[in-house]
Amino acid sequence: MPADNEEYTRLLEEMVEQMKAHILSQDARILEQEQTIADLRSLVDDLRLLKAGLEETLEEFKRQLFGTKSEKTKTSQADAAVETEDPASKTTVKEHTRAKKKKTTRDERYADIPVRDVVIPVPDKDRRCPYCNAEMMPLGRKEVRTELRITPAKVERVRYMQEELICPECRKDGDGTIVQAQTPAPLLPHSPASPSAVAYVMFDKSFASVPYYRQEACMAQLGLKLPRETMANWYIRCALEYFQPVYDRLHGLLLQRGVIHADETTCQVLREKGRAAESTSYMWLYLSGSDGLPPIVLYEYQAGRSGDFPKAFLDGFSGIVQCDGYSGYNKVEDVILAVCCAHCRRKFYEALPTECRTAN
């Protein structure tokens, strides 16, 4: 019996040890599962943050690609115009107020176009009364309709004929006195160019963006053989002779202002002497501030982006120069550089999370 008790005790101890081992293994498995769950939860949180960051990055790219590029701000005049709108010109449409769009009439659209009246008279055979044959008297005129007529461009040769006078009495003595009329000076000496012709070429080139070779074809349709080289020569010579003094005067007035906005943008010039056609050039822009005086906007072409160009252009200016963060403007002396508010706002906007943007 003692031997059986010892065997029974031994079996119980083995069973207890097995149960302990099983419980420990279960605890380890539970701990492992809990750790796995914690790791998965952490991974889910990281993926959610990554997803939110990618969505925000995607929205920022979409805003840069498809959003509004202009950073213009509303003027006080526009705000005042909105505030002073006639309440009667508004209508309520489902929880919001929308201003009615006023339809313009033909008279309003054509108000600035010159008017030429064409009077249609009654024929002579109908100017007597068909009943009593009495001569009818004018009653008035009635507008029947309005047409828009466009006169195409035409080319004509204008010959200046100078009148000459001679004294008949002096001519009897063999010494005639001759007086000649004073003719107007030509736009360009020894050239058929007239102010209207050069203005026509300049308008098409700079405003309508019509290149010279197309203008040459259009001139041929008008019956004028005008080479593109001649048109380019007219443009350059008149710009230097007539517009350069105006530019220089505006430049001097601009340097007297208190604030100047400056910026530069890339451009490409073909067949520039000493440079390849693929070279990058720059157009520098200078604009007067909002000081109530007439605005001045000047463009200056330069072959590069060196800070020496704004330094030379703004020589003599001692006010505030508002520009972007380009280091080339640091070469401008005796001025106060003011940072561009639009660039600053853009960086703050990009740094803000999407939730903060929508909240504001």
Side-chain angles (χ1 to χ4, degrees):
M1 189 68 180
D4 293 337
N5 289 337
E6 291 179 357
E7 182 66 21
Y8 182 71
T9 301
R10 186 181 63 80
L11 292 175
L12 288 176
E13 290 178 351
E14 289 180 355
M15 292 178 62
V16 170
E17 292 297 331
Q18 291 177 0
M19 292 179 65
K20 288 182 178 179
H22 180 71
I23 292 173
L24 291 175
S25 63
Q26 290 291 338
D27 291 342
R29 191 176 295 110
I30 292 174
L31 291 175
E32 183 179 357
Q33 290 178 354
E34 291 178 350
Q35 183 63 37
T36 302
I37 292 173
D39 293 341
L40 290 176
R41 287 177 176 174
S42 177
L43 179 60
V44 170
D45 293 338
D46 293 341
L47 290 177
R48 285 177 177 173
L49 291 176
L50 178 61
K51 177 177 176 292
L54 291 176
E55 288 179 348
E56 187 169 343
T57 302
L58 178 60
E59 290 298 326
E60 178 63 22
F61 285 152
K62 289 168 63 178
R63 185 187 67 83
Q64 295 180 3
L65 184 60
F66 303 108
T68 303
K69 301 298 187 300
S70 175
E71 297 181 276
K72 295 180 179 179
T73 57
K74 296 181 180 179
T75 61
S76 58
Q77 295 180 353
D79 296 338
V82 173
E83 293 177 359
T84 57
E85 280 186 347
D86 185 7
S89 65
K90 295 183 179 180
T91 180
T92 302
V93 182
K94 290 185 180 180
E95 301 181 355
H96 74 277
T97 302
R98 181 175 60 193
K100 291 182 179 179
K101 186 176 180 181
K102 183 181 178 181
K103 294 183 178 180
T104 58
T105 63
R106 287 184 177 179
D107 291 338
E108 292 175 344
R109 289 197 300 266
Y110 308 149
D112 298 331
I113 300 178
V115 178
R116 181 170 65 90
D117 293 333
V118 177
V119 180
I120 310 299
V122 177
D124 293 339
K125 63 183 182 64
D126 297 331
R127 300 185 75 87
R128 288 188 172 275
C129 179
Y131 301 102
C132 64
N133 200 32
E135 186 176 356
M136 306 185 72
M137 59 184 300
L139 177 63
R141 297 171 181 173
K142 181 180 68 173
E143 181 180 347
V144 179
R145 70 175 187 276
T146 299
E147 292 181 346
L148 294 176
R149 294 188 181 181
I150 299 177
T151 303
K154 64 179 181 179
V155 182
E156 60 181 359
R157 296 171 61 188
V158 178
R159 296 187 301 178
Y160 289 90
M161 310 298 291
Q162 185 182 44
E163 184 181 12
E164 296 181 342
L165 302 178
I166 188 171
C167 177
E169 298 298 329
C170 295
R171 190 174 186 179
K172 294 178 181 179
D173 299 334
D175 185 17
T177 302
I178 298 177
V179 176
Q180 295 178 335
Q182 185 176 1
T183 58
L187 183 70
L188 297 175
H190 311 293
S191 172
S194 66
S196 61
V198 176
Y200 189 88
V201 171
M202 285 185 167
F203 179 86
D204 278 357
K205 182 66 174 68
S206 297
F207 185 82
S209 301
V210 180
Y212 288 129
Y213 76 92
R214 290 184 181 176
Q215 291 194 50
E216 184 178 5
C218 293
M219 293 293 185
Q221 292 181 351
L222 297 175
L224 173 63
K225 294 182 179 179
L226 186 62
R228 64 192 74 174
E229 296 83 4
T230 301
M231 290 186 283
N233 185 41
W234 286 0
Y235 196 120
I236 295 173
R237 291 182 60 186
C238 290
L240 293 176
E241 186 170 347
Y242 296 101
F243 291 160
Q244 186 66 46
V246 178
Y247 182 93
D248 295 338
R249 177 57 178 164
L250 291 176
H251 185 193
L253 294 175
L254 181 64
L255 297 180
Q256 299 175 10
R257 299 292 184 89
V259 179
I260 293 179
H261 304 274
D263 198 4
E264 75 287 341
T265 184
T266 59
C267 64
Q268 190 175 8
V269 179
L270 302 178
R271 299 179 182 178
E272 190 174 10
K273 186 176 181 180
R275 305 186 70 204
E278 297 80 10
S279 301
T280 300
S281 302
Y282 287 85
M283 188 67 72
W284 296 76
L285 290 82
Y286 302 93
L287 168 65
S288 60
S290 302
D291 50 8
L293 297 175
I296 298 177
V297 182
L298 296 180
Y299 292 75
E300 184 190 37
Y301 168 78
Q302 294 292 351
R305 202 188 180 198
S306 172
D308 294 331
F309 300 131
K311 177 182 177 181
F313 187 90
L314 298 174
D315 185 26
F317 177 70
S318 58
I320 299 175
V321 176
Q322 188 173 32
C323 55
D324 55 19
Y326 175 49
S327 60
Y329 293 103
N330 295 329
K331 289 189 176 182
V332 183
E333 301 175 351
D334 301 328
V335 298
I336 300 175
L337 295 180
V339 70
C340 176
C341 297
H343 286 74
C344 293
R345 182 176 66 249
R346 187 186 310 160
K347 297 302 179 183
F348 278 106
Y349 183 85
E350 293 174 357
L352 286 175
T354 307
E355 296 80 4
C356 297
R357 301 181 194 171
T358 55
N360 294 332

